[in-house]
Amino acid sequence: MDLYLNVIIISICTFAVFSCPNGWSTHNSACYLFSHDTEDWANAVTLCQILGGHLVEIEDDIENQYIVAQAKLYNSAFWIGLNDLQEENSWMWVNSNDPVKYANWAPNQPDNGGQDENCVHLYPGFSYHWNDFPCHKLNHYICEKAAENAEIIG
C-alpha cells in the first residue's frame, strides 16, 4: 500500500516544462525567435533552418494572438512561412508544404498588388493581420521550433 501511495504522489508531482534556447520565447510546446535583423523572405527561410527551426507556421487563433502580441513589442513587420510561389492564390506553408487552414488576412487581402506579392508578413499597418507582400523586400522574421521537453519532479 505504501508503494502504491508513493507512486501516486510522484505522479501528481511530476510535470513537464518546455525549454527554449537563449533569445527564443516559449509558447505552449514551441519556441519562437523574433529577429532583430531584416532579410528577404528566402533568406529568412534559410536563416531559420540554420538556427534549427523554420519560418513560423501559424496553426490557430491562439498561436496567432501570441505571435501578434510579441510582434507588437517590436512595432515591425515580420515574415511568416506562408507563400503562393508554386501556384498563384494557393497558399502553402514553406516547411510542412501544407495548405493554409487557419488564416488571419487583413481586409481585402491577399490582393497580389503589383502582381508580385507571393509571401506573407504580419503588417503593423493592418493591425498585424496577414498581408501578401513582395518576397524580395526586407522584413524581420519569426522562426519556430519545437521546445525541448524537460520532466520536473517536485
Side-chain angles (χ1 to χ4, degrees), residues 19-116:
S19 64
C20 295
N22 241 1
W24 294 66
S25 62
T26 306
H27 177 70
N28 291 337
S29 61
C31 300
Y32 300 93
L33 177 70
F34 292 77
S35 76
H36 295 280
D37 64 318
T38 58
E39 298 290 342
D40 64 33
W41 189 84
N43 283 338
V45 169
T46 301
L47 287 169
C48 287
Q49 291 170 341
I50 289 169
L51 294 169
H54 57 271
L55 208 52
V56 67
E57 297 187 5
I58 302 173
E59 298 170 5
D60 57 37
D61 189 55
I62 293 170
E63 183 179 23
N64 189 72
Q65 287 179 33
Y66 170 77
I67 289 170
V68 166
Q70 295 301 305
K72 285 180 177 179
L73 298 174
Y74 297 91
N75 194 31
S76 296
F78 283 90
W79 287 125
I80 63 174
L82 194 60
N83 72 88
D84 72 346
L85 290 164
Q86 295 292 325
E87 181 183 338
E88 186 58 38
N89 214 30
S90 179
W91 296 97
M92 305 292 282
W93 293 110
V94 67
N95 184 61
S96 66
N97 208 31
D98 289 338
V100 66
K101 292 181 179 101
Y102 166 83
N104 192 33
W105 294 107
N108 303 312
Q109 297 300 322
D111 66 354
N112 197 28
Q115 306 301 304
D116 186 31

